[in-house]
Amino acid sequence: MKISVHIERLVLDGLPVTNLQGPQVRDAVERELVQLLAAGGLSHELRAGGAVPSVRAGGIGLAPKNQPVRLGQQIARAVYGGIGSRR
């Protein structure tokens, strides 16, 4: 199975991320989502494809010195909570 995730635009309003760190966060989100989807799959409701107007995601925890990669991983896990398989 081939899984490809591409995020064209990731809005990080209110998060402690500089313009230079934004692409690092986006790349980390893409990588982590690929790993999570490969390991756990997609929810039954989304397997048929199509667009959804929104996805309810979980929360993330911000540390005083959040690293872009760590923040991206947390965002991906929160998103996966809304789209991933509930096995």
Side-chain angles (χ1 to χ4, degrees):
M1 170 193 337
K2 180 178 177 173
I3 297 174
S4 176
V5 173
H6 173 72
I7 299 170
E8 187 171 319
R9 183 170 180 250
L10 180 64
V11 179
L12 301 170
D13 284 342
L15 295 179
V17 177
T18 67
N19 287 340
L20 295 175
Q21 293 172 323
Q24 294 173 315
V25 173
R26 184 195 61 229
D27 293 346
V29 171
E30 289 177 352
R31 281 192 307 273
E32 186 73 9
L33 268 178
V34 166
Q35 290 178 350
L36 292 168
L37 288 166
L42 194 60
S43 72
H44 178 70
E45 299 83 18
L46 297 176
R47 283 187 204 149
V52 293
S54 65
V55 172
R56 183 173 293 276
I60 61 171
L62 295 178
K65 285 192 163 198
N66 250 327
Q67 299 296 323
V69 171
R70 176 81 175 117
L71 183 58
Q73 291 169 335
Q74 288 183 6
I75 293 168
R77 290 178 189 135
V79 170
Y80 184 74
I83 67 171
S85 178
R86 291 158 182 74
R87 295 184 222 183

mmCIF file of all heavy atoms in Angstrom, residues 28-51:
data_model
loop_
_atom_site.group_PDB
_atom_site.id
_atom_site.type_symbol
_atom_site.label_atom_id
_atom_site.label_comp_id
_atom_site.label_asym_id
_atom_site.label_seq_id
_atom_site.Cartn_x
_atom_site.Cartn_y
_atom_site.Cartn_z
ATOM 1 N N ALA A 28 6.824 17.797 9.235
ATOM 2 C CA ALA A 28 6.703 16.837 10.337
ATOM 3 C C ALA A 28 5.279 16.292 10.425
ATOM 4 O O ALA A 28 5.087 15.101 10.693
ATOM 5 C CB ALA A 28 7.104 17.491 11.658
ATOM 6 N N VAL A 29 4.279 17.134 10.188
ATOM 7 C CA VAL A 29 2.885 16.679 10.186
ATOM 8 C C VAL A 29 2.694 15.640 9.083
ATOM 9 O O VAL A 29 2.111 14.570 9.320
ATOM 10 C CB VAL A 29 1.895 17.856 10.000
ATOM 11 C CG1 VAL A 29 0.477 17.335 9.788
ATOM 12 C CG2 VAL A 29 1.940 18.802 11.182
ATOM 13 N N GLU A 30 3.188 15.926 7.888
ATOM 14 C CA GLU A 30 3.050 14.988 6.768
ATOM 15 C C GLU A 30 3.703 13.647 7.084
ATOM 16 O O GLU A 30 3.091 12.588 6.909
ATOM 17 C CB GLU A 30 3.656 15.575 5.495
ATOM 18 C CG GLU A 30 2.864 16.708 4.899
ATOM 19 C CD GLU A 30 3.526 17.316 3.674
ATOM 20 O OE1 GLU A 30 4.687 16.962 3.356
ATOM 21 O OE2 GLU A 30 2.874 18.160 3.027
ATOM 22 N N ARG A 31 4.946 13.689 7.578
ATOM 23 C CA ARG A 31 5.671 12.442 7.875
ATOM 24 C C ARG A 31 4.951 11.622 8.946
ATOM 25 O O ARG A 31 4.793 10.410 8.822
ATOM 26 C CB ARG A 31 7.100 12.745 8.326
ATOM 27 C CG ARG A 31 8.055 13.064 7.205
ATOM 28 C CD ARG A 31 9.509 13.072 7.678
ATOM 29 N NE ARG A 31 9.730 13.936 8.825
ATOM 30 C CZ ARG A 31 10.000 15.239 8.753
ATOM 31 N NH1 ARG A 31 10.077 15.829 7.591
ATOM 32 N NH2 ARG A 31 10.193 15.942 9.851
ATOM 33 N N GLU A 32 4.535 12.289 10.021
ATOM 34 C CA GLU A 32 3.877 11.571 11.122
ATOM 35 C C GLU A 32 2.531 11.002 10.684
ATOM 36 O O GLU A 32 2.188 9.874 11.048
ATOM 37 C CB GLU A 32 3.709 12.506 12.320
ATOM 38 C CG GLU A 32 3.163 11.836 13.559
ATOM 39 C CD GLU A 32 4.157 10.918 14.258
ATOM 40 O OE1 GLU A 32 5.358 10.894 13.900
ATOM 41 O OE2 GLU A 32 3.729 10.211 15.192
ATOM 42 N N LEU A 33 1.774 11.753 9.890
ATOM 43 C CA LEU A 33 0.482 11.240 9.406
ATOM 44 C C LEU A 33 0.678 10.007 8.534
ATOM 45 O O LEU A 33 -0.094 9.051 8.621
ATOM 46 C CB LEU A 33 -0.276 12.313 8.631
ATOM 47 C CG LEU A 33 -1.239 13.174 9.431
ATOM 48 C CD1 LEU A 33 -1.874 14.226 8.540
ATOM 49 C CD2 LEU A 33 -2.303 12.357 10.117
ATOM 50 N N VAL A 34 1.684 10.018 7.687
ATOM 51 C CA VAL A 34 1.968 8.841 6.858
ATOM 52 C C VAL A 34 2.240 7.634 7.744
ATOM 53 O O VAL A 34 1.697 6.547 7.524
ATOM 54 C CB VAL A 34 3.143 9.104 5.898
ATOM 55 C CG1 VAL A 34 3.669 7.805 5.299
ATOM 56 C CG2 VAL A 34 2.722 10.059 4.787
ATOM 57 N N GLN A 35 3.065 7.809 8.773
ATOM 58 C CA GLN A 35 3.389 6.694 9.667
ATOM 59 C C GLN A 35 2.150 6.200 10.409
ATOM 60 O O GLN A 35 1.932 4.991 10.531
ATOM 61 C CB GLN A 35 4.467 7.111 10.665
ATOM 62 C CG GLN A 35 5.826 7.319 10.028
ATOM 63 C CD GLN A 35 6.875 7.784 11.027
ATOM 64 O OE1 GLN A 35 6.566 8.127 12.169
ATOM 65 N NE2 GLN A 35 8.116 7.820 10.593
ATOM 66 N N LEU A 36 1.348 7.125 10.908
ATOM 67 C CA LEU A 36 0.150 6.728 11.643
ATOM 68 C C LEU A 36 -0.861 6.026 10.748
ATOM 69 O O LEU A 36 -1.461 5.021 11.147
ATOM 70 C CB LEU A 36 -0.489 7.957 12.298
ATOM 71 C CG LEU A 36 0.318 8.592 13.432
ATOM 72 C CD1 LEU A 36 -0.252 9.963 13.794
ATOM 73 C CD2 LEU A 36 0.360 7.688 14.640
ATOM 74 N N LEU A 37 -1.046 6.535 9.540
ATOM 75 C CA LEU A 37 -1.988 5.901 8.612
ATOM 76 C C LEU A 37 -1.488 4.531 8.169
ATOM 77 O O LEU A 37 -2.281 3.594 8.033
ATOM 78 C CB LEU A 37 -2.228 6.809 7.411
ATOM 79 C CG LEU A 37 -3.060 8.057 7.701
ATOM 80 C CD1 LEU A 37 -2.961 9.042 6.549
ATOM 81 C CD2 LEU A 37 -4.504 7.686 7.986
ATOM 82 N N ALA A 38 -0.181 4.399 7.966
ATOM 83 C CA ALA A 38 0.380 3.105 7.569
ATOM 84 C C ALA A 38 0.202 2.077 8.684
ATOM 85 O O ALA A 38 -0.101 0.913 8.425
ATOM 86 C CB ALA A 38 1.855 3.248 7.210
ATOM 87 N N ALA A 39 0.368 2.495 9.914
ATOM 88 C CA ALA A 39 0.268 1.573 11.044
ATOM 89 C C ALA A 39 -1.176 1.287 11.440
ATOM 90 O O ALA A 39 -1.518 0.153 11.769
ATOM 91 C CB ALA A 39 1.023 2.146 12.247
ATOM 92 N N GLY A 40 -2.037 2.309 11.436
ATOM 93 C CA GLY A 40 -3.376 2.126 11.971
ATOM 94 C C GLY A 40 -4.510 2.213 10.981
ATOM 95 O O GLY A 40 -5.627 1.835 11.280
ATOM 96 N N GLY A 41 -4.250 2.748 9.803
ATOM 97 C CA GLY A 41 -5.293 2.838 8.798
ATOM 98 C C GLY A 41 -6.185 4.053 8.958
ATOM 99 O O GLY A 41 -6.055 4.842 9.883
ATOM 100 N N LEU A 42 -7.099 4.145 8.027
ATOM 101 C CA LEU A 42 -8.049 5.248 7.957
ATOM 102 C C LEU A 42 -9.393 4.782 8.504
ATOM 103 O O LEU A 42 -9.738 3.606 8.406
ATOM 104 C CB LEU A 42 -8.196 5.670 6.489
ATOM 105 C CG LEU A 42 -8.867 6.981 6.158
ATOM 106 C CD1 LEU A 42 -8.120 8.142 6.784
ATOM 107 C CD2 LEU A 42 -8.918 7.168 4.655
ATOM 108 N N SER A 43 -10.156 5.692 9.067
ATOM 109 C CA SER A 43 -11.456 5.312 9.620
ATOM 110 C C SER A 43 -12.357 4.742 8.521
ATOM 111 O O SER A 43 -12.224 5.085 7.343
ATOM 112 C CB SER A 43 -12.146 6.518 10.269
ATOM 113 O OG SER A 43 -12.602 7.418 9.284
ATOM 114 N N HIS A 44 -13.263 3.888 8.908
ATOM 115 C CA HIS A 44 -14.175 3.235 7.974
ATOM 116 C C HIS A 44 -14.963 4.268 7.164
ATOM 117 O O HIS A 44 -15.176 4.111 5.975
ATOM 118 C CB HIS A 44 -15.125 2.303 8.736
ATOM 119 C CG HIS A 44 -16.120 1.629 7.872
ATOM 120 N ND1 HIS A 44 -15.769 0.643 6.969
ATOM 121 C CD2 HIS A 44 -17.454 1.816 7.727
ATOM 122 C CE1 HIS A 44 -16.844 0.251 6.319
ATOM 123 N NE2 HIS A 44 -17.883 0.940 6.765
ATOM 124 N N GLU A 45 -15.368 5.350 7.820
ATOM 125 C CA GLU A 45 -16.178 6.378 7.171
ATOM 126 C C GLU A 45 -15.430 7.098 6.047
ATOM 127 O O GLU A 45 -16.044 7.585 5.107
ATOM 128 C CB GLU A 45 -16.639 7.429 8.199
ATOM 129 C CG GLU A 45 -17.499 6.887 9.321
ATOM 130 C CD GLU A 45 -16.680 6.276 10.468
ATOM 131 O OE1 GLU A 45 -15.478 6.551 10.584
ATOM 132 O OE2 GLU A 45 -17.275 5.493 11.224
ATOM 133 N N LEU A 46 -14.115 7.172 6.150
ATOM 134 C CA LEU A 46 -13.332 7.913 5.155
ATOM 135 C C LEU A 46 -12.680 7.039 4.084
ATOM 136 O O LEU A 46 -12.130 7.555 3.126
ATOM 137 C CB LEU A 46 -12.249 8.741 5.865
ATOM 138 C CG LEU A 46 -12.760 9.824 6.809
ATOM 139 C CD1 LEU A 46 -11.591 10.495 7.512
ATOM 140 C CD2 LEU A 46 -13.579 10.848 6.052
ATOM 141 N N ARG A 47 -12.742 5.730 4.247
ATOM 142 C CA ARG A 47 -12.069 4.835 3.295
ATOM 143 C C ARG A 47 -12.600 4.945 1.880
ATOM 144 O O ARG A 47 -11.876 4.726 0.924
ATOM 145 C CB ARG A 47 -12.184 3.385 3.755
ATOM 146 C CG ARG A 47 -11.246 3.080 4.865
ATOM 147 C CD ARG A 47 -11.240 1.611 5.187
ATOM 148 N NE ARG A 47 -10.803 1.490 6.564
ATOM 149 C CZ ARG A 47 -11.181 0.550 7.382
ATOM 150 N NH1 ARG A 47 -12.016 -0.373 6.972
ATOM 151 N NH2 ARG A 47 -10.745 0.529 8.611
ATOM 152 N N ALA A 48 -13.868 5.281 1.719
ATOM 153 C CA ALA A 48 -14.454 5.382 0.390
ATOM 154 C C ALA A 48 -13.988 6.636 -0.348
ATOM 155 O O ALA A 48 -14.202 6.767 -1.542
ATOM 156 C CB ALA A 48 -15.980 5.375 0.489
ATOM 157 N N GLY A 49 -13.348 7.549 0.372
ATOM 158 C CA GLY A 49 -12.863 8.776 -0.249
ATOM 159 C C GLY A 49 -13.864 9.898 -0.154
ATOM 160 O O GLY A 49 -14.895 9.799 0.504
ATOM 161 N N GLY A 50 -13.537 10.981 -0.819
ATOM 162 C CA GLY A 50 -14.408 12.140 -0.798
ATOM 163 C C GLY A 50 -13.900 13.207 0.149
ATOM 164 O O GLY A 50 -12.945 13.009 0.885
ATOM 165 N N ALA A 51 -14.554 14.336 0.119
ATOM 166 C CA ALA A 51 -14.168 15.465 0.953
ATOM 167 C C ALA A 51 -15.081 15.547 2.170
ATOM 168 O O ALA A 51 -16.248 15.179 2.115
ATOM 169 C CB ALA A 51 -14.262 16.756 0.151
#
